[in-house]
Amino acid sequence: EPEVTQTPSHQVTQMGQEVILRCVPISNHLYFYWYRQILGQKVEFLVSFYNNEISEKSEIFDDQFSVERPDGSNFTLKIRSTKLEDSAMYFCARKQGALNTGELFFGEGSRLTVL
Amino acid sequence: ILNVEQSPQSLHVQEGDSTNFTCSFPSSNFYALHWYRWETAKSPEALFVMTLNGDEKKKGRISATLNTKEGYSYLYIKGSQPEDSATYLCAFGNSGYALNFGKGTSLLVTP
């Protein structure tokens, strides 16, 4: 059973549409991350979320992106107006262990295709 | 941007062969070096986390070493099996929250 459940597994959307990707941890954790992988490229860090606040974000995570934990359980990544280059596999992960050395447990990913 | 480089990009070996691949990372502000295995249609799964120079970790036929002074880590697979076929990702952790990943080494083991 995965540590983290992600929905949807695959979403196809039109350019300019809003997309919400969801992440549900099995148990209550404090540190969450969103990463993405564009086909053929590196796994890229987007944002980390600690105790219901953004703790760090990358240059990729611009104003089009937002994260929240609306009900204290589900953890969402929203892309306001999708672009073609947002097509990627998006992974949610939780950290186990110390902040700087703990390992990540990834969800199974949400594949986003922007047409 | 912290460059984490992995080589080779891909590798094809026969069942029973031993193999190894390399991860190089910045040697400054080092906190941890992670290895993950990523099988097709699954999520990346942690193999090792190493924090100290000279660390060696082992899990079954897979082992890893760490040299933080020169900024490299090796992953070794002894007696490769078809089920070892996957992409092996290396990730470098510094004082921030994020891990910086390499592009991975794609391993194919054929019977």
Side-chain angles (χ1 to χ4, degrees):
Chain A
E1 188 177 11
E3 296 274 343
V4 174
T5 302
Q6 289 187 242
T7 58
S9 56
H10 188 193
Q11 181 157 355
V12 181
T13 191
Q14 295 291 323
M15 194 168 57
Q17 295 296 303
E18 177 183 279
V19 162
I20 296 177
L21 306 178
R22 291 184 173 80
C23 172
V24 181
I26 297 298
S27 52
N28 197 22
H29 290 279
L30 294 177
Y31 296 109
F32 291 94
Y33 299 76
W34 282 101
Y35 284 81
R36 77 174 185 189
Q37 191 199 32
I38 296 171
L39 189 63
Q41 297 186 23
K42 293 184 180 187
V43 175
E44 299 174 300
F45 168 71
L46 293 177
V47 65
S48 60
F49 197 76
Y50 170 64
N51 205 23
N52 297 326
E53 289 185 358
I54 290 176
S55 49
E56 188 177 359
K57 58 183 181 180
S58 71
E59 293 174 353
I60 303 167
F61 196 86
D62 61 20
D63 292 343
Q64 292 298 315
F65 289 89
S66 62
V67 288
E68 58 181 21
R69 202 172 186 189
D71 57 7
S73 176
N74 290 346
F75 178 45
T76 63
L77 174 71
K78 182 190 292 185
I79 309 174
R80 289 193 182 83
S81 178
T82 50
K83 309 186 206 59
L84 295 176
E85 55 265 35
D86 294 327
S87 296
M89 193 74 160
Y90 288 81
F91 289 100
C92 171
R94 68 160 185 90
K95 178 163 282 188
Q96 177 163 303
L99 173 62
N100 297 111
T101 59
E103 62 190 37
L104 294 178
F105 287 85
F106 288 88
E108 294 182 333
S110 292
R111 180 169 297 285
L112 175 64
T113 302
V114 183
L115 303 176
Chain B
I1 297 175
L2 298 168
N3 280 330
V4 179
E5 302 291 336
Q6 290 189 246
S7 63
Q9 187 175 346
S10 63
L11 199 52
H12 182 187
V13 301
Q14 296 294 313
E15 182 176 357
D17 288 348
S18 293
T19 186
N20 67 86
F21 15 97
T22 307
C23 171
S24 62
F25 53 88
S27 53
S28 60
N29 197 21
F30 174 87
Y31 273 73
L33 193 286
H34 297 230
W35 281 99
Y36 290 82
R37 176 166 64 195
W38 191 1
E39 295 179 67
T40 303
K42 296 186 178 180
S43 52
E45 179 185 301
L47 284 172
F48 305 114
V49 180
M50 295 180 287
T51 57
L52 298 174
N53 185 43
D55 260 356
E56 291 188 26
K57 294 274 178 98
K58 188 175 180 183
K59 187 182 286 190
R61 293 178 292 97
I62 304 177
S63 60
T65 61
L66 178 67
N67 183 322
T68 59
K69 292 184 179 177
E70 296 180 43
Y72 65 83
S73 174
Y74 293 130
L75 188 80
Y76 300 91
I77 303 179
K78 185 178 177 182
S80 303
Q81 299 295 309
E83 57 264 31
D84 296 328
S85 298
T87 295
Y88 291 82
L89 296 171
C90 154
F92 164 75
N94 59 5
S95 55
Y97 291 84
L99 286 179
N100 298 281
F101 283 83
K103 269 194 166 185
T105 293
S106 177
L107 174 67
L108 176 63
V109 183
T110 50

